[in-house]
Amino acid sequence: MKFTDLGLDQRILDGIDAMGYETATPVQQQVMVPILEGKDIIASAQTGTGKTAAFLLPLIHRLLTVPHDSNEINAMIIVPTRELAIQIAEGLEGLSYFTDVSSIAVYGGSGGDSFNAEKKALTQGVDIVICTPGRMIAHLNMGYVKLKGLKYLVLDEADRMLDMGFNDDIMKIISFLPKERQNLLFSATMPMKMRELARKILREPVEINIAISKPPEQIVQKAFIVYEPQKIPIIKDMLGGSKFQNVIVFCSKKQNVKQLTAELKRAKLSAEEIHSDLDQTKREQVLQDFRNKKLNILVATDILSRGIDIEDIDLVINFDVPNDGEDYVHRIGRTARAASKGTAFTLVSEKEQNKFAAIEALLGEPVLKGTVPEEFGPTPTYNPRAPRQGGQNRRSQGNRRNGPPRGDKKK
Ligand code: AMP
């Protein structure tokens, strides 16, 4: 799904573009529409799935399109830790950069100056407050927090908040809020006590479960950062020795399947292609030969990445970077079936670096980068337009900002 399909305000699309996001992650695909429709949601989604943008984007859109009082606090995001508050504030700053949505992070542990700055914002009104429970209560107890216009409440990492003993604090904060509001609850796990909290807070919520699959641990994953024309020679080299017996190479395009197979055959390697241009009989024949080990290398489009069970594949090569984390997991999941070990190599060209970084973000950790032998010449450095690290304007109020998140867009 593309972000443009959602009817988001153009200024938000510009922010998404500047952040380098191309397609919506699974949690974003499922969560954004009900939020845009004004529904309450309860979503089980872990960090690394893109859940922050999944609630920030529709929230910003609603602030831009549904009338609200800019002298009030309009949205409150409650989080367990100051680190998460800072991270969300930074993400928000990037995504809302081209809008006039204002925000402030309110968390404990910072000095008197920050307390006064927070007090000022909470007294004058600010579109979005991102806060930790204890610090918010400290402000609420002083009686100046402007909450009459609040329309949106987000609880992020709610299970962690309950584990940290914040249940009563959360309920106390909620007792200060108007009853008519939209509630969004995100939690990595859904224990019983979470269900109870949800029952108290949410109204007819849409329930969303995102189980991001992880590749089996016994797969050795490596990525090679290369220039596009280096891909075929490098793959020929990888397959040249007799180290791997049963290999699948995945390509996104049929054209690449055909070209690579021809090159491998020319190098006298035992390779065949499989894609939708082949008739069913031919496809089955190729698969049969591969299963019977008459054939060592299968070059395939994604038609083979899901569901087809072939035993004993010891190497999967991604000729190109799959479109999203799920496709990546499905492709490399062809190897290391059951308890066996497997290897997965991915060739990442310059223009695929951002896409690969997004997959790494979804996997929750970077993939080891392999060294390309010198004979293939110099290779590019891995320098994706990384998900923004921020660090410039940790608290923003009234859209006071130091510069665009990335790229050369001007306001
Ligand atoms: P989160 O689960 O919200 O902590 O997000 C994990 C990482 O994924 C963050 O660094 C985000 O900037 C990044 N991210 C979120 N949405 C997308 C997307 N649609 N495409 C690429 N990266 C994304």
Side-chain angles (χ1 to χ4, degrees):
M1 186 199 264
K2 291 238 179 316
F3 288 104
T4 41
D5 299 338
L6 288 160
L8 292 173
D9 187 279
Q10 185 57 45
R11 290 164 287 177
I12 303 177
L13 293 175
D14 290 344
I16 293 171
D17 206 30
M19 292 290 274
Y21 302 170
E22 285 170 9
T23 48
T25 66
V27 69
Q28 290 163 359
Q29 293 187 21
Q30 292 193 48
V31 158
M32 288 196 291
V33 172
I35 303 180
L36 288 168
E37 287 170 349
K39 297 193 174 121
D40 278 13
I41 61 154
I42 174 166
S44 61
Q46 290 145 355
T47 297
T49 52
K51 69 178 165 64
T52 313
F55 64 76
L56 287 181
L57 292 168
L59 194 57
I60 303 166
H61 181 82
R62 285 180 69 78
L63 284 169
L64 293 176
T65 52
V66 180
H68 67 272
D69 186 347
S70 53
N71 296 318
E72 290 282 333
I73 296 165
N74 286 285
M76 182 183 287
I77 302 171
I78 310 181
V79 301
T81 61
R82 53 182 291 178
E83 288 72 26
L84 187 58
I86 293 168
Q87 197 181 306
I88 294 176
E90 289 174 352
L92 175 61
E93 210 169 291
L95 293 169
S96 66
Y97 182 76
F98 298 95
T99 75
D100 58 2
V101 167
S102 62
S103 62
I104 188 163
V106 169
Y107 47 79
S110 34
D113 281 357
S114 346
F115 197 91
N116 289 336
E118 290 168 8
K119 178 177 173 185
K120 193 167 165 217
L122 298 174
T123 313
Q124 292 178 346
V126 56
D127 290 328
I128 303 178
V129 174
I130 304 143
C131 59
T132 50
R135 181 72 154 208
M136 194 65 217
I137 284 182
H139 285 292
L140 283 169
N141 284 340
M142 315 261 245
Y144 47 70
V145 184
K146 284 184 109 179
L147 287 170
K148 275 210 291 296
L150 188 126
K151 292 195 181 62
Y152 311 98
L153 171 70
V154 182
L155 300 182
D156 194 17
E157 302 204 351
D159 49 351
R160 250 174 103 194
M161 291 204 272
L162 293 187
D163 287 346
M164 291 163 79
F166 286 141
N167 186 65
D168 293 350
D169 286 356
I170 292 171
M171 293 316 294
K172 176 154 190 202
I173 295 173
I174 289 175
S175 73
F176 284 85
L177 308 181
K179 300 260 171 310
E180 279 300 311
R181 49 166 210 268
Q182 185 178 5
N183 302 290
L184 316 174
L185 188 151
F186 288 81
S187 183
T189 56
M190 286 293 163
M192 208 50 207
K193 56 183 179 178
M194 178 62 58
R195 300 260 161 215
E196 277 160 30
L197 179 73
R199 235 190 333 268
K200 282 189 231 155
I201 301 176
L202 309 177
R203 278 186 316 188
E204 297 174 30
V206 175
E207 188 160 343
I208 290 146
N209 270 304
I210 305 290
I212 170 95
S213 12
K214 296 258 173 191
E217 293 205 340
Q218 66 269 33
I219 302 180
V220 178
Q221 301 174 58
K222 260 190 202 174
F224 295 87
I225 309 303
V226 299
Y227 293 110
E228 190 67 38
Q230 293 175 313
K231 286 186 172 180
I232 290 184
I234 289 172
I235 290 182
K236 270 164 61 179
D237 184 64
M238 285 170 174
L239 298 176
S242 56
K243 205 169 152 222
F244 300 103
Q245 296 307 312
N246 301 298
V247 181
I248 299 184
V249 187
F250 284 110
C251 307
S252 298
K253 293 192 200 123
K254 273 183 257 180
Q255 203 43 45
N256 292 340
V257 169
K258 291 175 186 173
Q259 193 190 348
L260 177 63
T261 314
E263 293 271 356
L264 295 177
K265 283 182 169 172
R266 208 168 296 143
K268 304 269 179 291
L269 290 165
S270 163
E272 281 298 342
E273 60 197 52
I274 187 158
H275 48 75
S276 59
D277 281 358
L278 302 184
D279 66 35
Q280 193 60 27
T281 330
K282 178 72 183 158
R283 274 199 235 172
E284 274 164 23
Q285 183 60 53
V286 173
L287 273 179
Q288 195 59 29
D289 289 349
F290 188 65
R291 282 200 179 99
N292 295 340
K293 312 212 185 325
K294 272 201 227 159
L295 179 68
N296 297 136
I297 305 161
L298 200 57
V299 186
T301 52
D302 278 311
I303 56 170
L304 264 198
S305 73
R306 291 175 194 236
I308 292 185
D309 203 12
I310 305 174
E311 300 284 308
D312 302 335
I313 292 165
D314 39 23
L315 173 65
V316 166
I317 299 178
N318 290 314
F319 178 87
D320 44 33
V321 176
N323 278 326
D324 59 47
E326 284 292 327
D327 282 346
Y328 177 81
V329 172
H330 281 290
R331 280 187 182 189
I332 73 169
R334 296 302 95 204
T335 184
R337 309 288 277 173
S340 65
K341 273 206 186 311
T343 305
F345 292 155
T346 303
L347 291 128
V348 184
S349 71
E350 271 186 305
K351 66 175 194 301
E352 293 171 318
Q353 289 196 7
N354 293 340
K355 200 154 68 162
F356 194 67
I359 289 176
E360 289 181 312
L362 289 173
L363 294 175
E365 57 191 357
V367 173
L368 201 71
K369 307 297 174 304
T371 313
V372 174
E374 267 178 26
E375 65 200 81
F376 295 101
T379 51
T381 44
Y382 189 50
N383 189 21
R385 285 202 297 172
R388 188 166 169 271
Q389 299 303 310
Q392 8 179 302
N393 214 12
R394 294 209 152 162
R395 298 153 176 268
S396 65
Q397 227 246 287
N399 212 32
R400 189 163 40 80
R401 291 185 173 139
N402 291 344
R406 246 200 320 261
D408 51 10
K409 294 214 167 185
K410 294 270 185 309
K411 223 171 173 186

